[in-house]
């Protein structure tokens, strides 16, 4: 079904669909260069490659089409399998929060308040108490954690749900990266001790990093958020941070929060201390979430001027087989023989569990088909024509680097899976090389803004003080104009802290190295990664 | 984790959790008999067996706990695998419909209007145009079908989404059966011809019947809805209908609708006719949905006075292993040996992919544990004590029929899977026997109401006229009092048509057999199943 749906947008009109008639068709490809107008490029790629459709009825909402839901499904399967092994079970809490219960948790809710969508009517009747659509589920779930957790033997309690949440953003929205509704998984767990809770925070962070690195071929830096950037209601936040080379911006990948006892105190979630009879203790909680944002990050990092470039492990179509070398003069028996061989080839690939599509559309030249599937990001193209048949080979072209070659027909079922894994690895390595070469460890303040302007993120000695962080943000604003996410020019934003990397560079001497902010004067506590960011 | 969470409710207090102390605990079991007070029985089973938790904050909403989400997950996997093979792809459309777009489709929306939840505010600002939470997605999706379907080669378009929908019911709500928010899958497809569309309607119906029969061990009758009961906007509706023996009511299982061209005309979804160049035709559409209601039907049919009875194929825990025969006098080495054997046993079962739990809780008697797991519906209990060890056997007890026996230890890994499949089959057969013996084919009007009062559904010759159906409903109201879903007495409702079974009884002579309604006088068109229903 996929190629049929693809074709229409590519063909640009109904007349192209007329079977058995060779009509000239031109690809409605990506019209701008990624480097020249990144935001328009992104918008074209996500729509023309059929990842999303803009929802015209309500701004800030997007339809996720099969090409993106496939990726999300692969992520869900991968992550669910691993969290299940950790003892995490699935749950489904209601979509709504009542205004009354929200009032009790004002501190937590404050941050979300401006973005809450309020249901005030059902049918034509006003609700007695309005209800808000969940922006996240702490306040929905934790009253029940208090009910369900009655003994230390009810711990750990590990639940997650896959659902959508609504945050009615006032800011400019962007598909995947900032939408008023998005899909995510949210995990909420409770533990007896701080140590057990923190162990899980990092296990989950490692799974999030795995989603990026192993599935999406996107390198991330693992670390801890500063006070300014952590989840407001929590104790500390771990994060994996990505990097978009095209504009040099950092982007938060996914976060796993140690909530400490803040929420268990707010919601009165306690158990009797198993070591001190009669005494009660508040449980230690975590929450962690990964959203469809990951897809946007993947698109931005791997895509090129031809369109999408998909890592093989999450590509709905991993290999497209295109018959070539057929002309009006080709004899029917040659044509039939080719069709048969192509189907054998596809069957062999499917036998090796390779997601394979054969493009047998009439009325389109091989060149058109090549460009169409390149735009859609299919990792590997196989071409098969009479000449290949003679030589008992199939020709291939890699989407990621354009490399071409041939594979003996007899080895297709074994060679193609190897080649796909090689593509996966090469895509990761390329992105990793790019990120590591744009992550500059700096000891001189003067180099900071020029480094940002040259599309880098920086790692600098920092005191970790919130006020100093605000100052740094302010000082690093630049008059240099950049294109904003809305496509309009704007002055460059200041940098904010992305994370305190767990893997610290060398050279920071405790009690000696100063915070890099020249007007600070405090000692540096750690190397902190800063950058302009999404 | 499951048994730990289970224990708390069962133990009824925190003191019970104190390890290594044998404390008397009493099971907080099901307090009423299924036959005596069905609605209270149901409410206790779904909550005490931890399928749902009532959401106190907003009435009519329920939290789906891991025990029910596991079942839903199994259904999702089973159904997704099969629909994927049919070429159905996953999508995710927004949660909201704008008031403006709703106005365009007034006819379709009318039925849902009283139950729409309206978002009128975001943060503290009124929305310019209110948006409604989707009650179903025809009006959300089909404008995009019009955009995406531009040629007959874009057909078939087959999409489905797994999501929640909101219908703000004014009626009494019941967990799973009637909730203001529920989970479902909704499929929406478009086809070139009526024939292709109708073929799919029935394929999907067969999958729905498969969910009931093969996974949930619930027999259903396949058929077509009458005009009165079909999906309002559609052409015709196919359905699978279940039966609750305890109150003799029918219950709609799931429906698959042939929408015909009604929506494609409303939303202008057309393609050029491949057989008549230049002419356009409206596509043929289907929609089909299966919701978490299935879980409620399963609970009602299989449960008994001890609590839940789960069919093995969807049970999160299929087998619980309980060490027995240990007293204060048991020697430590005997005890240790038993623990070791029990773990070996569990490992062997897990090796055969049996979802196994070992209940090693201290402070609980085997009798307490038996009752606890019986309440939770675990299909098979294995008991293992010193005497079993001597004889190299394990004792078992089936949840469905109480049957007990022994299995040689060496054969556990092979015998248990066979036994579980036998339980699955026996549960289905029992329910099927019950349904078929309460589905009375009647030729005399006088027998109708007494049959209903004796907890049957009836199959009668019927003219299929909507007005006659209304009349029948009215005539079959009974003064006999029954307990309503709210637990209060109420007069019995009249019967409505459940379906026109595809499998028709014999004996209806076209042009001769009259409609059974004595004041009708028209000829009967078919045998139609009627009943009091949910």
């Amino acid at each position: 079904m996929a190629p049929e749906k693809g074709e229409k947008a590519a063909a640009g009109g109904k007349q192209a669909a007329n079977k058995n008639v060779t009509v000239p068709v031109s690809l409605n490809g990506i019209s701008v260069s990624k480097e020249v107008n990144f935001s328009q490029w992104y918008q074209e790629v996500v729509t023309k490659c059929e990842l999303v459709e803009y929802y015209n009825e309500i701004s800030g909402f997007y339809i996720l089409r099969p090409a993106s839901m496939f990726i999300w499904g692969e992520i869900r399967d991968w992550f669910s399998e691993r969290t299940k092994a950790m003892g995490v079970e699935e749950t489904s809490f209601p979509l709504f929060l009542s205004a009354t219960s929200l009032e009790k948790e004002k501190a937590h809710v404050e941050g979300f308040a401006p973005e809450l969508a309020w249901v005030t009517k059902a049918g034509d009747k006003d609700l007695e108490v309005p209800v808000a659509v969940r922006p996240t589920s702490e306040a929905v779930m934790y009253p029940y954690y208090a009910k369900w957790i009655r003994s230390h033997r009810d711990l750990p309690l590990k639940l997650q749900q896959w659902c959508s949440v609504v945050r009615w953003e006032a800011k400019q929205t962007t598909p995947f990266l900032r939408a008023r509704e998005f899909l995510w998984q949210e995990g909420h767990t409770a533990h007896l001790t701080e140590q057990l809770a923190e162990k899980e925070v990092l296990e989950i962070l490692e799974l999030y990093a795995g989603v990026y690195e192993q599935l999406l071929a996107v390198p991330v830096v693992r670390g801890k958020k500063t006070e300014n950037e952590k989840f407001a209601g929590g104790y500390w936040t771990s994060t994996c941070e990505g990097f978009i080379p095209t504009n040099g911006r950092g982007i938060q990948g996914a976060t796993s929060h140690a909530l400490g006892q803040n929420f268990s105190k707010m919601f009165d979630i306690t158990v009797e201390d198993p070591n001190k009879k009669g005494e009660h203790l508040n449980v230690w909680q975590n929450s962690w979430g990964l959203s469809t944002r990951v897809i946007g990050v993947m698109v931005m990092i791997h895509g090129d001027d031809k369109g999408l470039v998909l890592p093989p492990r999450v590509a709905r179509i991993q290999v497209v087989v295109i018959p070539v070398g057929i002309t009006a003069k080709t004899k029917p028996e040659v044509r039939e023989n080719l069709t048969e061989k192509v189907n054998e080839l596809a069957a062999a690939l499917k036998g090796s569990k390779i997601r394979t599509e054969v493009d047998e559309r009439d009325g389109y030249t091989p060149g058109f088909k090549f460009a169409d599937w390149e735009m859609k990001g299919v990792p590997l193209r196989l071409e098969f024509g009479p000449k290949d048949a003679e030589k008992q080979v199939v020709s291939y072209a890699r989407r990621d680097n354009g490399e071409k070659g041939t594979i003996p027909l007899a080895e297709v079922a074994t060679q193609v899976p190897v080649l796909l894994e090689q593509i996966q690895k090469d895509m990761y390595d390329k992105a990793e090389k790019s990120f590591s070469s744009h992550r500059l460890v700096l000891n001189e303040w003067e180099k900071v803004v020029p480094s940002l302007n040259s599309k880098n993120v920086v790692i600098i000695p920092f005191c970790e003080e919130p006020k100093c962080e605000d100052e740094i943000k302010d000082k690093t604003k630049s008059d240099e104009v950049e294109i904003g996410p809305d496509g309009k020019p704007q002055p460059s934003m200041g940098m904010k802290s992305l994370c305190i990397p767990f893997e610290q560079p060398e050279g920071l001497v405790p009690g000696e190295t100063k915070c890099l902010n020249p007007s600070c004067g405090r000692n540096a506590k750690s190397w902190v990664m800063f950058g302009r960011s999404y």
Side-chain angles (χ1 to χ4, degrees), chain A:
Chain A
M1 220 175 68
E4 298 209 57
K5 278 193 292 161
E7 141 200 4
K8 146 204 55 167
K14 297 197 180 198
Q15 75 287 355
N18 205 332
K19 263 206 167 178
N20 303 318
V21 180
T22 304
V23 289
V25 282
S26 67
L27 190 75
N28 180 15
I30 309 303
S31 74
V32 290
S33 160
K34 188 179 182 186
E35 293 296 329
V36 172
N37 188 338
F38 187 44
S39 64
Q40 193 190 329
W41 172 88
Y42 180 73
Q43 190 182 313
E44 286 193 21
V45 167
V46 295
T47 53
K48 290 185 177 175
C49 302
E50 301 181 352
L51 293 171
V52 303
E53 180 81 62
Y54 280 64
Y55 189 57
N56 298 324
E57 284 68 13
I58 314 172
S59 78
F61 288 80
Y62 307 95
I63 298 158
L64 301 189
R65 302 185 67 180
S68 49
M69 285 307 289
F70 183 88
I71 298 169
W72 188 238
E74 292 295 299
I75 291 170
R76 180 174 175 153
D77 288 349
W78 190 94
F79 189 76
S80 286
E81 187 190 329
R82 284 158 182 79
T83 47
K84 203 171 174 181
M86 291 170 65
V88 179
E89 295 187 291
E90 213 176 322
T91 187
S92 176
F93 276 74
L95 179 63
F96 299 121
L97 271 160
S98 85
T100 327
S101 68
L102 272 176
E103 269 163 33
K104 291 183 205 155
E105 297 102 35
K106 270 189 179 159
H108 163 60
V109 168
E110 214 164 58
F112 293 106
E115 297 175 359
L116 288 177
W118 286 100
V119 172
T120 61
K121 279 174 63 177
D124 54 4
K125 288 184 191 127
D126 288 336
L127 294 184
E128 281 183 39
V129 179
V131 302
V133 183
R134 63 170 167 242
T136 177
S137 298
E138 282 80 2
V140 182
M141 290 182 168
Y142 296 168
Y144 295 89
Y145 280 48
K147 182 173 181 186
W148 296 334
I149 298 170
R150 291 164 52 179
S151 137
H152 69 89
R153 290 213 263 176
D154 300 323
L155 298 173
L157 177 60
K158 301 185 178 187
L159 300 179
Q160 77 173 319
Q161 65 183 15
W162 296 81
C163 59
S164 79
V165 289
V166 171
R167 298 177 186 177
W168 209 280
E169 299 272 356
K171 291 185 200 164
Q172 176 77 23
T173 53
T174 309
F176 299 119
L177 298 196
R178 189 188 296 277
R180 285 178 168 171
E181 181 191 9
F182 57 86
L183 300 182
W184 76 350
Q185 80 40 241
E186 52 178 324
H188 296 268
T189 64
H191 306 259
L192 185 63
T193 68
E194 179 172 16
Q195 199 185 11
L196 287 167
E198 301 210 335
K199 181 167 171 282
E200 186 199 73
V201 168
L202 297 178
E203 280 171 1
I204 293 293
L205 187 73
E206 202 49 41
L207 291 184
Y208 286 161
V211 166
Y212 277 103
E213 295 179 346
Q214 294 177 43
L215 297 184
L216 304 174
V218 167
V220 290
V221 168
R222 298 149 175 81
K224 189 178 158 176
K225 286 285 188 189
T226 60
E227 280 301 298
N228 274 19
E229 296 294 332
K230 74 170 192 185
F231 181 61
Y235 196 50
W236 62 275
T237 289
S238 74
T239 181
C240 51
E241 298 283 324
F243 174 72
I244 309 296
T246 313
N247 54 16
R249 288 205 201 177
I251 184 158
Q252 181 177 302
T255 47
S256 174
H257 312 293
L259 301 179
Q261 296 176 308
N262 291 0
F263 284 89
S264 70
K265 285 174 184 165
M266 207 186 305
F267 290 91
D268 196 24
I269 311 173
T270 65
V271 296
E272 189 180 47
D273 188 334
N275 301 314
K276 292 181 196 163
K277 210 180 165 178
E279 280 186 35
H280 279 69
L281 53 82
N282 285 91
V283 303
W284 295 82
Q285 289 179 270
N286 297 333
S287 74
W288 26 274
L290 178 89
S291 79
T292 34
R293 153 174 284 210
V294 296
I295 299 171
V297 176
M298 178 205 76
V299 171
M300 286 185 163
I301 287 178
H302 299 305
D304 64 20
D305 285 356
K306 291 179 178 173
L308 201 58
V309 183
L310 288 171
R313 288 189 192 159
V314 295
R316 184 174 53 150
I317 301 171
Q318 295 173 308
V319 173
V320 60
V321 184
I322 301 177
V324 297
I326 297 177
T327 66
K329 292 176 192 165
T330 306
K331 290 180 189 164
E333 62 267 28
V334 173
R335 190 188 293 250
E336 268 168 39
N337 181 45
L338 204 69
T339 303
E340 197 181 305
K341 289 275 180 196
V342 160
N343 288 331
E344 275 174 34
L345 191 59
L349 289 167
K350 284 174 188 169
S352 295
K353 305 214 167 184
I354 302 299
R355 296 184 288 271
T356 307
E357 194 74 40
V358 178
D359 186 348
E360 295 179 298
R361 286 179 285 174
D362 285 330
Y364 296 84
T365 63
F368 172 88
K369 291 178 180 179
F370 293 177
D372 189 23
W373 293 108
E374 276 173 356
M375 182 176 79
K376 300 244 175 64
V378 173
L380 190 66
R381 176 177 81 232
L382 297 184
E383 303 163 22
F384 191 73
K387 284 179 192 167
D388 299 291
E390 263 173 40
K391 292 184 206 156
Q392 292 286 307
V393 297
V394 60
S395 303
Y396 71 80
R398 283 173 58 161
R399 174 64 180 94
D400 63 321
N401 63 8
E403 186 191 290
K404 290 177 183 181
T406 58
I407 302 171
L409 272 186
E411 291 172 23
V412 160
T414 51
Q415 289 291 313
V416 167
V418 174
L419 189 50
L420 288 173
E421 276 302 295
Q422 189 62 46
I423 293 171
Q424 180 86 27
K425 183 177 180 302
D426 290 349
M427 286 179 69
Y428 176 81
D429 288 347
K430 183 182 167 195
E432 163 55 22
K433 199 174 162 191
S434 164
F435 191 2
S436 60
S437 67
H438 287 88
R439 202 161 63 223
L440 306 185
V441 178
L442 297 185
N443 277 302
E444 294 158 84
W445 177 255
E446 294 66 32
K447 288 190 177 168
V448 168
V449 172
S451 296
L452 298 178
N453 290 347
S454 323
K455 301 181 181 175
N456 296 288
V457 295
V458 299
I459 300 185
I460 59 170
F462 177 51
C463 64
E464 296 188 18
E465 286 297 322
K467 277 190 185 170
C468 182
E469 189 168 332
D470 294 338
E471 246 183 76
I472 287 175
K473 191 172 184 178
D474 206 50
K475 281 184 178 169
T476 51
K477 281 178 185 156
S478 165
D479 293 335
E480 200 163 293
V481 165
E482 61 166 17
I483 303 295
D486 54 358
K488 293 172 192 155
Q490 61 180 30
S492 291
M493 65 177 80
M495 71 182 187
K496 65 180 186 184
S497 80
L498 304 171
C499 73
I500 308 167
F502 291 145
E503 209 171 288
Q504 288 275 305
E506 291 189 356
L508 189 143
V509 186
E512 196 169 302
T513 308
K514 296 285 173 201
C515 177
L516 202 64
N517 176 6
S519 56
C520 171
R522 275 177 290 256
N523 286 328
K525 277 195 181 157
S526 59
W527 291 100
V528 176
M529 183 163 78
F530 280 82
R532 295 185 180 136
S533 77
Y534 278 89

